[in-house]
Amino acid sequence: MKGVPCSAGARFGNGVYFGDNSGKMDQYCDIDKEYSKGNLLHQMIYPEDGNCRHPGDVFYALVCRVTLGCSRVYKGSGDFHPSARHTNELCDVPGVEPPLPHHSLIARKATTNVKDPFDEYIIFHSDLTYPEYLVAYQRR
């Protein structure tokens, strides 16, 4: 992922969005119904010569290490403003010379939509992320 521009954003603009609760991640997962020979992920985790078969109706999620650095905490409506220098940067950390933008944004559940009770962590540079595990799961 190093050097990959972040463009998966939504509410807080372009960035990579994370949560600390699997329920948050599950909101964005699409179902994988069956094995496909042409699917590279399937070839890697369900090899034809192996004993692990595609279970059908499976979902996938990445467990990542994320460096948040100096975070800006979103406190509600009107509090989020990116830097005037660049739309992919947050405002500067106060009292730091030379000027340095915040590395990440934390949106606490208390300040987000009541229907979405999960915290969100947004980074604007993908090199702050290390995908560590791929988790395959089924809903019951």
PDB file of all heavy atoms in Angstrom, residues 78-92:
ATOM      1  N   GLY A  78     -19.442  21.212  11.997  1.00  0.00           N
ATOM      2  CA  GLY A  78     -18.655  22.416  11.781  1.00  0.00           C
ATOM      3  C   GLY A  78     -17.243  22.354  12.318  1.00  0.00           C
ATOM      4  O   GLY A  78     -16.449  23.245  12.076  1.00  0.00           O
ATOM      5  N   ASP A  79     -16.885  21.294  13.059  1.00  0.00           N
ATOM      6  CA  ASP A  79     -15.555  21.213  13.658  1.00  0.00           C
ATOM      7  C   ASP A  79     -14.510  20.676  12.694  1.00  0.00           C
ATOM      8  O   ASP A  79     -13.332  20.889  12.883  1.00  0.00           O
ATOM      9  CB  ASP A  79     -15.609  20.337  14.908  1.00  0.00           C
ATOM     10  CG  ASP A  79     -14.268  20.291  15.619  1.00  0.00           C
ATOM     11  OD1 ASP A  79     -13.759  21.370  15.975  1.00  0.00           O
ATOM     12  OD2 ASP A  79     -13.731  19.186  15.789  1.00  0.00           O
ATOM     13  N   PHE A  80     -14.921  19.982  11.664  1.00  0.00           N
ATOM     14  CA  PHE A  80     -13.972  19.407  10.722  1.00  0.00           C
ATOM     15  C   PHE A  80     -13.639  20.415   9.643  1.00  0.00           C
ATOM     16  O   PHE A  80     -14.507  20.915   8.944  1.00  0.00           O
ATOM     17  CB  PHE A  80     -14.552  18.139  10.087  1.00  0.00           C
ATOM     18  CG  PHE A  80     -13.711  17.601   8.964  1.00  0.00           C
ATOM     19  CD1 PHE A  80     -12.497  17.008   9.233  1.00  0.00           C
ATOM     20  CD2 PHE A  80     -14.121  17.702   7.666  1.00  0.00           C
ATOM     21  CE1 PHE A  80     -11.706  16.517   8.207  1.00  0.00           C
ATOM     22  CE2 PHE A  80     -13.341  17.214   6.626  1.00  0.00           C
ATOM     23  CZ  PHE A  80     -12.142  16.621   6.914  1.00  0.00           C
ATOM     24  N   HIS A  81     -12.384  20.760   9.526  1.00  0.00           N
ATOM     25  CA  HIS A  81     -11.956  21.591   8.418  1.00  0.00           C
ATOM     26  C   HIS A  81     -10.562  21.161   7.988  1.00  0.00           C
ATOM     27  O   HIS A  81      -9.646  21.144   8.787  1.00  0.00           O
ATOM     28  CB  HIS A  81     -11.973  23.092   8.724  1.00  0.00           C
ATOM     29  CG  HIS A  81     -11.816  23.422  10.165  1.00  0.00           C
ATOM     30  ND1 HIS A  81     -12.881  23.535  10.999  1.00  0.00           N
ATOM     31  CD2 HIS A  81     -10.729  23.646  10.926  1.00  0.00           C
ATOM     32  CE1 HIS A  81     -12.457  23.838  12.217  1.00  0.00           C
ATOM     33  NE2 HIS A  81     -11.160  23.902  12.191  1.00  0.00           N
ATOM     34  N   PRO A  82     -10.445  20.803   6.705  1.00  0.00           N
ATOM     35  CA  PRO A  82      -9.121  20.448   6.212  1.00  0.00           C
ATOM     36  C   PRO A  82      -8.248  21.680   6.086  1.00  0.00           C
ATOM     37  O   PRO A  82      -8.726  22.801   6.140  1.00  0.00           O
ATOM     38  CB  PRO A  82      -9.409  19.825   4.841  1.00  0.00           C
ATOM     39  CG  PRO A  82     -10.762  20.307   4.462  1.00  0.00           C
ATOM     40  CD  PRO A  82     -11.495  20.652   5.718  1.00  0.00           C
ATOM     41  N   SER A  83      -6.992  21.450   5.912  1.00  0.00           N
ATOM     42  CA  SER A  83      -6.028  22.535   5.723  1.00  0.00           C
ATOM     43  C   SER A  83      -6.334  23.280   4.430  1.00  0.00           C
ATOM     44  O   SER A  83      -6.793  22.699   3.458  1.00  0.00           O
ATOM     45  CB  SER A  83      -4.622  21.944   5.657  1.00  0.00           C
ATOM     46  OG  SER A  83      -3.716  22.899   5.196  1.00  0.00           O
ATOM     47  N   ALA A  84      -6.070  24.564   4.430  1.00  0.00           N
ATOM     48  CA  ALA A  84      -6.245  25.350   3.207  1.00  0.00           C
ATOM     49  C   ALA A  84      -5.181  24.980   2.173  1.00  0.00           C
ATOM     50  O   ALA A  84      -5.368  25.197   0.988  1.00  0.00           O
ATOM     51  CB  ALA A  84      -6.163  26.836   3.541  1.00  0.00           C
ATOM     52  N   ARG A  85      -4.056  24.384   2.641  1.00  0.00           N
ATOM     53  CA  ARG A  85      -2.959  24.032   1.729  1.00  0.00           C
ATOM     54  C   ARG A  85      -3.333  22.888   0.793  1.00  0.00           C
ATOM     55  O   ARG A  85      -2.946  22.840  -0.344  1.00  0.00           O
ATOM     56  CB  ARG A  85      -1.721  23.619   2.528  1.00  0.00           C
ATOM     57  CG  ARG A  85      -1.018  24.724   3.241  1.00  0.00           C
ATOM     58  CD  ARG A  85       0.335  24.234   3.746  1.00  0.00           C
ATOM     59  NE  ARG A  85       0.268  22.967   4.428  1.00  0.00           N
ATOM     60  CZ  ARG A  85       0.120  22.820   5.741  1.00  0.00           C
ATOM     61  NH1 ARG A  85       0.006  23.873   6.515  1.00  0.00           N
ATOM     62  NH2 ARG A  85       0.093  21.638   6.288  1.00  0.00           N
ATOM     63  N   HIS A  86      -4.053  21.938   1.299  1.00  0.00           N
ATOM     64  CA  HIS A  86      -4.281  20.716   0.543  1.00  0.00           C
ATOM     65  C   HIS A  86      -5.529  20.037   1.090  1.00  0.00           C
ATOM     66  O   HIS A  86      -5.685  19.911   2.296  1.00  0.00           O
ATOM     67  CB  HIS A  86      -3.054  19.806   0.703  1.00  0.00           C
ATOM     68  CG  HIS A  86      -3.027  18.674  -0.270  1.00  0.00           C
ATOM     69  ND1 HIS A  86      -3.762  17.545  -0.115  1.00  0.00           N
ATOM     70  CD2 HIS A  86      -2.330  18.512  -1.421  1.00  0.00           C
ATOM     71  CE1 HIS A  86      -3.529  16.709  -1.121  1.00  0.00           C
ATOM     72  NE2 HIS A  86      -2.665  17.281  -1.924  1.00  0.00           N
ATOM     73  N   THR A  87      -6.402  19.573   0.221  1.00  0.00           N
ATOM     74  CA  THR A  87      -7.657  18.978   0.690  1.00  0.00           C
ATOM     75  C   THR A  87      -7.459  17.624   1.354  1.00  0.00           C
ATOM     76  O   THR A  87      -8.347  17.134   2.013  1.00  0.00           O
ATOM     77  CB  THR A  87      -8.657  18.822  -0.472  1.00  0.00           C
ATOM     78  OG1 THR A  87      -8.046  18.033  -1.488  1.00  0.00           O
ATOM     79  CG2 THR A  87      -9.068  20.169  -1.024  1.00  0.00           C
ATOM     80  N   ASN A  88      -6.304  16.994   1.174  1.00  0.00           N
ATOM     81  CA  ASN A  88      -6.040  15.707   1.809  1.00  0.00           C
ATOM     82  C   ASN A  88      -5.254  15.854   3.107  1.00  0.00           C
ATOM     83  O   ASN A  88      -4.709  14.892   3.609  1.00  0.00           O
ATOM     84  CB  ASN A  88      -5.263  14.790   0.859  1.00  0.00           C
ATOM     85  CG  ASN A  88      -6.099  13.615   0.411  1.00  0.00           C
ATOM     86  OD1 ASN A  88      -7.312  13.632   0.513  1.00  0.00           O
ATOM     87  ND2 ASN A  88      -5.449  12.597  -0.094  1.00  0.00           N
ATOM     88  N   GLU A  89      -5.167  17.049   3.637  1.00  0.00           N
ATOM     89  CA  GLU A  89      -4.459  17.296   4.889  1.00  0.00           C
ATOM     90  C   GLU A  89      -5.415  17.939   5.882  1.00  0.00           C
ATOM     91  O   GLU A  89      -6.280  18.721   5.506  1.00  0.00           O
ATOM     92  CB  GLU A  89      -3.269  18.236   4.678  1.00  0.00           C
ATOM     93  CG  GLU A  89      -2.209  17.714   3.755  1.00  0.00           C
ATOM     94  CD  GLU A  89      -1.373  16.587   4.335  1.00  0.00           C
ATOM     95  OE1 GLU A  89      -1.473  16.319   5.543  1.00  0.00           O
ATOM     96  OE2 GLU A  89      -0.625  15.976   3.572  1.00  0.00           O
ATOM     97  N   LEU A  90      -5.229  17.633   7.140  1.00  0.00           N
ATOM     98  CA  LEU A  90      -5.995  18.280   8.198  1.00  0.00           C
ATOM     99  C   LEU A  90      -5.316  19.584   8.583  1.00  0.00           C
ATOM    100  O   LEU A  90      -4.200  19.869   8.156  1.00  0.00           O
ATOM    101  CB  LEU A  90      -6.089  17.350   9.411  1.00  0.00           C
ATOM    102  CG  LEU A  90      -6.915  16.088   9.199  1.00  0.00           C
ATOM    103  CD1 LEU A  90      -6.716  15.134  10.366  1.00  0.00           C
ATOM    104  CD2 LEU A  90      -8.377  16.415   9.028  1.00  0.00           C
ATOM    105  N   CYS A  91      -5.963  20.348   9.427  1.00  0.00           N
ATOM    106  CA  CYS A  91      -5.356  21.598   9.893  1.00  0.00           C
ATOM    107  C   CYS A  91      -4.101  21.276  10.713  1.00  0.00           C
ATOM    108  O   CYS A  91      -3.900  20.157  11.168  1.00  0.00           O
ATOM    109  CB  CYS A  91      -6.364  22.406  10.707  1.00  0.00           C
ATOM    110  SG  CYS A  91      -7.027  21.531  12.118  1.00  0.00           S
ATOM    111  N   ASP A  92      -3.272  22.278  10.896  1.00  0.00           N
ATOM    112  CA  ASP A  92      -1.992  22.098  11.582  1.00  0.00           C
ATOM    113  C   ASP A  92      -2.165  21.834  13.078  1.00  0.00           C
ATOM    114  O   ASP A  92      -3.113  22.300  13.705  1.00  0.00           O
ATOM    115  CB  ASP A  92      -1.119  23.339  11.405  1.00  0.00           C
ATOM    116  CG  ASP A  92      -0.605  23.476   9.980  1.00  0.00           C
ATOM    117  OD1 ASP A  92      -0.551  22.459   9.261  1.00  0.00           O
ATOM    118  OD2 ASP A  92      -0.255  24.602   9.589  1.00  0.00           O
TER     119      ASP A  92
END
